[in-house]
Amino acid sequence: RPRVGSLGECFGKRVLVWAEQGVGDELMFGTMLKEFGGYCGGLLVEVDRRLLPLYRRSFGSEVQWIERGTEIDESRYDLQIPVGSLGLHLRPSAESFAGHGGGYLVADQERAQRLRASLGVSTEERLVGLSWRSADPESGASRSLPLLELIESLRGAGVRFVSLQYGSVGEEIEEVNRRSGVRVLECAQVDNFADLDGLASLLWACDEVVTVGNATAHLAGSIGQRAHVLLPYVAEWRWMHEGDCSVWYDSVRLYRQRERGQWQGVLQELSECIARERTSGG
């Protein structure tokens, strides 16, 4: 089928938006789906199967959702476009992002309440969700930092921590507990890799989220959860090269390394910012 050449071509047409790149990219480019759907007669969207519950809850029957990798009969659509190419038509300038950075996905808030209760966190305590690693084979090392460094910069009276990190991190969590005395909670009811709908609920259950620039950062921004995102000296293009605001997500604040490989300044800035917010009741 022909690819979308202009928004005007989409009027009255059934358009397939197909997935590309990783889950974080799908979430980021997904911020444009509702707007794009307004130009189309019908919208079919291919997404990672782990995102299907979130998208179905958030969009309802407005969109036909297709699990990524499923063979799609061409008779179901008239035009097609990769999800990343939506930006060519909808985000051609910095100004075109204005007003489009709100959370567009809806976490299961009842599940969020149950998860928080299951962790044994009281109403007087602050639950801080942490994700400190990226699994990207090319840039993951520069985007990751030791959990112990993160804990030491954030610990304080009444602060509890929960892991939002996907992958095998149990040994690192145990090591942090031995060395610092701080216990990072793990939510047994949520597989942080396979159950992204559950992870969205766990994110929503937190009072604060601190994460490196991985899929968890995009998930937090997509549901409108306030998140502090820690970036390396050379950040990926999606985070731009300067500034503490994300053009994609209004709820995300960015912290950038001032020297390559040095997280100390980032963590100091983060600690000061969170302290100010807590003092002001933010």
Side-chain angles (χ1 to χ4, degrees):
R1 290 292 185 178
R3 183 174 293 195
V4 171
S6 68
L7 293 176
E9 293 177 358
C10 300
F11 182 74
K13 299 291 181 64
R14 300 165 302 166
V15 182
L16 168 68
V17 180
W18 47 274
E20 58 176 345
Q21 303 177 54
V23 166
D25 301 285
E26 288 188 46
L27 289 164
M28 183 177 73
F29 295 134
T31 59
M32 298 179 280
L33 285 174
K34 287 188 178 181
E35 185 182 357
F36 181 68
Y39 292 93
C40 306
L43 201 60
L44 295 80
V45 180
E46 182 190 34
V47 295
D48 189 293
R49 62 176 176 78
R50 295 171 292 172
L51 295 173
L52 284 171
L54 263 172
Y55 276 95
R56 285 174 175 150
R57 179 185 306 112
S58 307
F59 287 78
S61 59
E62 300 173 40
V63 177
Q64 295 182 56
W65 301 104
I66 300 166
E67 182 178 328
R68 185 170 183 169
T70 301
E71 187 173 343
I72 308 166
D73 193 313
E74 288 191 357
S75 65
R76 296 179 62 184
Y77 60 94
D78 307 301
L79 299 170
Q80 51 86 18
I81 186 172
V83 66
S85 293
L86 295 181
L88 294 173
H89 305 284
L90 298 174
R91 301 291 181 269
S93 65
E95 291 74 22
S96 62
F97 284 85
H100 297 292
Y104 72 101
L105 296 179
V106 180
D108 184 337
Q109 297 183 19
E110 291 185 3
R111 187 178 181 186
Q113 293 175 353
R114 294 196 301 271
L115 292 175
R116 185 178 175 109
S118 73
L119 294 171
V121 180
S122 70
T123 55
E124 294 78 21
E125 294 175 314
R126 295 188 69 84
L127 182 61
V128 180
L130 303 177
S131 181
W132 58 96
R133 285 187 189 175
S134 167
D136 187 283
E138 295 183 1
S139 63
S142 68
R143 288 195 274 155
S144 304
L145 75 160
L147 174 59
L148 184 60
E149 285 188 36
L150 193 53
I151 291 292
E152 292 295 350
S153 69
L154 296 171
R155 64 189 302 177
V159 177
R160 305 285 298 279
F161 298 104
V162 63
S163 172
L164 306 174
Q165 183 62 51
Y166 47 85
S168 179
V169 294
E171 289 186 7
E172 187 174 5
I173 287 175
E174 286 300 319
E175 177 67 15
V176 165
N177 181 237
R178 286 194 296 269
R179 295 180 60 181
S180 71
V182 175
R183 179 182 172 219
V184 178
L185 304 172
E186 294 184 271
C187 187
Q189 297 95 319
V190 177
D191 182 322
N192 291 342
F193 177 79
D195 182 11
L196 294 185
D197 192 35
L199 181 58
S201 294
L202 185 56
L203 280 159
W204 196 256
C206 296
D207 296 295
E208 292 162 358
V209 171
V210 179
T211 178
V212 295
N214 57 15
T216 304
H218 292 283
L219 187 56
S222 295
I223 64 173
Q225 171 62 296
R226 184 174 60 180
H228 306 273
V229 177
L230 315 180
L231 300 175
Y233 184 70
V234 180
E236 290 187 311
W237 65 269
R238 69 201 72 245
W239 305 117
M240 313 297 278
H241 69 282
E242 62 183 4
D244 60 7
C245 297
S246 166
V247 296
W248 299 98
Y249 311 112
D250 292 341
S251 63
V252 164
R253 190 184 194 282
L254 307 176
Y255 302 78
R256 303 176 185 273
Q257 285 184 352
R258 297 185 178 89
E259 297 180 48
R260 192 182 299 272
Q262 296 299 314
W263 289 109
Q264 184 176 359
V266 174
L267 296 176
Q268 180 64 30
E269 182 185 356
L270 170 67
S271 177
E272 292 172 356
C273 180
I274 289 180
R276 287 195 303 269
E277 289 182 352
R278 290 174 182 168
T279 300
S280 62

